[in-house]
Amino acid sequence: MTVDKEQRTRVLRYKRPALASMGYEHIQKELGDIVEACGDVAWFAGDRDALTAALDGSDEEAHEFMLACGDLSGQAGLLLEQLYEVGEYDTEGTARMYDDCTVALIGNRYDLVGFDTLQEDYFSLTGYDTELAESEAGKRLMRHTKAEMLSTIGQSVGILVAFLDVRQKYDYLQATLDVLRDESGSVLQAVKAINAAYEKAEGVGFQDFRQEVQEFERLLWAVPERMWVE
């Protein structure tokens, strides 16, 4: 019986494992999401009443919250930038070394995922595949010299600790951010939609007959008057 390509790639997912919520690619994506979420606070700051209400009417806490979001955005953005810089010329190799190292060292304590080269995405591994993944990652790590292993382990642990610090700080702020999204989300989405439409209209030289310009004007006319006042 011939095994098709999809099945072959599925059974080989353990060859490229990663921690389920702390793999290299996942970290990059989550850091980007955190930077975006904290950046949204700049929009919410224009509606200070909503921000203060989300913090039980405390102006002082609202100010501290804005500062905390700004600091966290900077910290997450810097770490994300460093991850891209580290792998600027060898992104694949850097990511693989980090994933191999973390899987080999602590993979037995966390859920693992494996990369499917056909689907170009990560999927959960079964118990048997998890054991194979840990073993394969350990073998690849041990092919290096002791000095190289120490360097890889040190870099990987540093990335993981820095990321967990950012995640912990974001978890602390997330409840307030969720309240703000519920209360001011429609305003934020409207502003973002207008900005995107403006860029498209600008791209066609604001010619009245163009659909991009008409859509931009439609969104402007749909904006509630209170938004202009605030």
Side-chain angles (χ1 to χ4, degrees):
M1 178 178 178
T2 303
V3 180
D4 61 26
K5 184 177 181 180
E6 183 174 356
Q7 186 175 349
R8 288 199 304 271
T9 56
R10 184 168 60 249
V11 299
L12 291 176
R13 287 175 184 170
Y14 72 88
K15 288 286 188 178
R16 184 176 168 183
L19 300 183
S21 62
M22 293 174 285
Y24 200 89
E25 289 188 15
H26 180 93
I27 286 178
Q28 289 178 310
K29 181 181 183 306
E30 189 167 335
L31 287 173
D33 291 341
I34 290 174
V35 170
E36 182 178 0
C38 290
D40 288 345
V41 176
W43 298 105
F44 294 134
D47 190 354
R48 192 59 176 265
D49 291 339
L51 180 57
T52 302
L55 293 164
D56 298 325
S58 173
D59 285 331
E60 182 178 350
E61 288 188 17
H63 180 67
E64 290 179 355
F65 176 78
M66 289 174 59
L67 291 178
C69 283
D71 289 342
L72 181 57
S73 178
Q75 184 179 353
L78 178 60
L79 179 55
L80 181 60
E81 182 180 342
Q82 289 172 338
L83 291 183
Y84 280 117
E85 286 181 354
V86 166
E88 183 176 1
Y89 302 106
D90 187 27
T91 305
E92 182 72 9
T94 302
R96 285 293 298 273
M97 285 192 295
Y98 167 85
D99 287 333
D100 277 348
C101 182
T102 51
V103 168
L105 294 177
I106 57 176
N108 61 338
R109 296 176 178 83
Y110 295 93
D111 293 333
L112 298 184
V113 292
F115 190 78
D116 189 308
T117 55
L118 186 63
Q119 300 292 333
E120 295 188 349
D121 201 357
Y122 283 93
F123 297 88
S124 296
L125 296 178
T126 64
Y128 175 69
D129 288 337
T130 294
E131 293 181 5
L132 288 176
E134 293 169 16
S135 176
E136 290 288 322
K139 290 177 182 177
R140 286 192 293 270
L141 185 61
M142 293 176 66
R143 289 173 190 158
H144 299 283
T145 65
K146 291 181 180 179
E148 290 171 339
M149 286 176 59
L150 286 174
S151 176
T152 298
I153 292 172
Q155 182 185 54
S156 300
V157 171
I159 291 173
L160 187 56
V161 169
F163 169 66
L164 291 177
D165 181 49
V166 170
R167 177 187 277 176
Q168 182 180 36
K169 291 178 180 178
Y170 179 69
D171 288 343
Y172 179 76
L173 301 174
Q174 191 171 15
T176 301
L177 283 169
D178 289 343
V179 172
L180 290 173
R181 287 193 185 96
D182 290 342
E183 295 184 358
S184 303
S186 59
V187 174
L188 176 62
Q189 292 304 316
V191 171
K192 287 186 174 181
I194 290 173
N195 285 340
Y198 175 86
E199 292 178 359
K200 291 181 180 179
E202 185 180 34
V204 297
F206 292 101
Q207 301 177 51
D208 292 339
F209 64 89
R210 295 297 296 266
Q211 181 178 352
E212 293 85 352
V213 176
Q214 294 172 5
E215 175 64 12
F216 173 59
E217 292 179 347
R218 183 190 70 79
L219 290 173
L220 284 180
W221 283 106
V223 173
E225 291 186 8
R226 71 178 185 86
M227 284 183 61
W228 298 111
V229 175
E230 294 173 356

